[in-house]
Amino acid sequence: MIDASLTLAAANPVDHVVNHGFFKIGDIWVWSAHTGNLILAALIVIAGGLWAAGKIETGPESDGTHRFVTRNRFAHMLEVICVYLKENTVRPLLGDRTDRFMPFLWTLFFFILVNNLLGLVPILDLFLLNKSLKSAHESPFGGTATQNIYVTGGLALISFIVINAAGIKQLGIKGYLMHLTGGAPAYIWPILVPVEILGTFIKPIALAIRLFANMTAGHILVATLFGFVGSAYVGGLLLFGTVGVLSAIGALAIYFLEIFVGFLQAFVFMFLTTVFISQLDHHGDHDHDHAHEPVAAH
């Protein structure tokens, strides 16, 4: 218990969030806490997806109408989330291209979500209770992988490739290049084209920084409040009964807020990727307008 309180009361709350190395060859780290969390998140997404698919799939005809009913409440919740993302978020933007992109967009959403939520689990702190690991600042798992700018940058790079590859496939090389002109007169191109090229790179950079900043700020705040709890515990009963209790209540409130933020940031990353894909489509706005026209009565 004392070791746990001292771990909570670390001098720097950032230590609870940032990456910790674990194994390296020479001067190169080949395994770190974030590496372990990324692999763990991937396994959870794959295993959870396969399990949910088995519960959601249509059963044998001998089950009658019950074969269409999802056979688990948690799987039903995942199904509702997937249907909402597909029909209410992506389809209004991508139209008939929705089915083509949904596997990627679902994967993006759930992978980021699981990593965000894993960052709220004190895996790192449990490993750092081992004094040898704590003194060396090493851990095979833990921390917040989506707090790592290299991780969010890698996710943004994948989105960048998909966004532009989808645009080239939809418009062709010539159409993609003409898209950079924005339909403006030729004498505006020297100004507009460089701005559009910069925008092509700024969009994924914004995705990376937004996810990185939100995960860093929120998780450090939680770690700071829990640090107050640990320091108050070490400081005695009176200090713990005042500062410790108030800090624990505040940490619990922020913790629930961070769960919401974890869902929100996963959604925002996926949604903005969808928006950027839809922007590289000359027919996107035209189809979108027609989709909202009232149907004439016959």
Side-chain angles (χ1 to χ4, degrees):
M1 184 65 180
I2 294 177
D3 285 343
S5 65
L6 290 174
T7 300
L8 282 175
N12 188 353
V14 178
D15 290 341
H16 294 271
V17 180
V18 298
N19 197 14
H20 285 61
F22 182 67
F23 175 72
K24 65 180 180 180
I25 299 177
D27 294 328
I28 301 175
W29 288 103
V30 296
W31 188 280
S32 67
H34 287 176
T35 304
N37 265 28
L38 288 170
I39 293 175
L40 181 59
L43 292 175
I44 291 173
V45 170
I46 293 171
L50 292 174
W51 172 83
K55 298 296 182 181
I56 296 171
E57 67 179 354
T58 302
E61 293 186 7
S62 58
D63 290 343
T65 56
H66 289 288
R67 70 182 186 273
F68 300 109
V69 178
T70 302
R71 296 177 291 281
N72 182 275
R73 290 184 179 181
F74 184 72
H76 194 187
M77 183 190 73
L78 294 178
E79 181 184 19
V80 170
I81 293 174
C82 289
V83 171
Y84 175 81
L85 293 176
K86 179 179 180 181
E87 301 300 334
N88 294 76
T89 303
V90 178
R91 192 173 296 280
L93 292 169
L94 298 185
D96 58 2
R97 295 195 292 166
T98 299
D99 291 342
R100 186 191 314 165
F101 287 100
M102 278 319 301
F104 167 70
L105 295 172
W106 277 331
T107 302
L108 198 62
F109 172 80
F110 284 108
F111 183 70
I112 293 174
L113 174 62
V114 171
N115 272 291
N116 291 349
L117 297 181
L118 280 178
L120 292 170
V121 179
I123 302 174
L124 179 63
D125 300 274
L126 293 175
F127 277 102
L128 291 182
L129 290 177
N130 184 316
K131 294 183 179 180
S132 63
L133 292 177
K134 183 177 180 179
S135 61
H137 296 283
E138 296 178 351
S139 177
F141 295 95
T144 310
T146 43
Q147 176 274 332
N148 191 322
I149 190 63
Y150 295 105
V151 172
T152 60
L155 292 169
L157 177 61
I158 294 172
S159 292
F160 172 80
I161 294 171
V162 172
I163 291 166
N164 289 280
I168 293 173
K169 183 175 182 180
Q170 183 74 5
L171 304 175
I173 295 293
K174 181 179 178 181
Y176 178 82
L177 295 176
M178 289 302 297
H179 182 83
L180 298 176
T181 66
Y187 60 85
I188 302 293
W189 291 3
I191 299 175
L192 187 60
V193 171
V195 172
E196 288 293 330
I197 293 174
L198 284 174
T200 301
F201 292 95
I202 290 173
K203 289 173 183 176
I205 291 173
L207 286 177
I209 293 176
R210 179 185 290 105
L211 180 58
F212 157 76
N214 278 278
M215 291 301 101
T216 300
H219 287 40
I220 288 178
L221 179 57
V222 170
T224 300
L225 290 172
F226 276 125
F228 288 154
V229 176
S231 297
Y233 177 82
V234 176
L237 183 60
L238 179 62
L239 192 61
F240 181 73
T242 54
V243 176
V245 171
L246 292 176
S247 297
I249 294 173
L252 185 62
I254 297 297
Y255 217 84
F256 281 105
L257 177 61
E258 277 301 289
I259 293 174
F260 169 73
V261 171
F263 276 87
L264 179 63
Q265 291 305 315
F267 174 80
V268 168
F269 199 104
M270 187 220 73
F271 175 70
L272 289 180
T273 299
T274 306
V275 171
F276 298 152
I277 293 173
S278 69
Q279 287 177 342
L280 293 176
D281 182 357
H282 284 318
H283 307 289
D285 293 335
H286 178 76
D287 293 341
H288 183 72
D289 292 339
H290 280 286
H292 292 82
E293 290 181 358
V295 179
H298 294 284

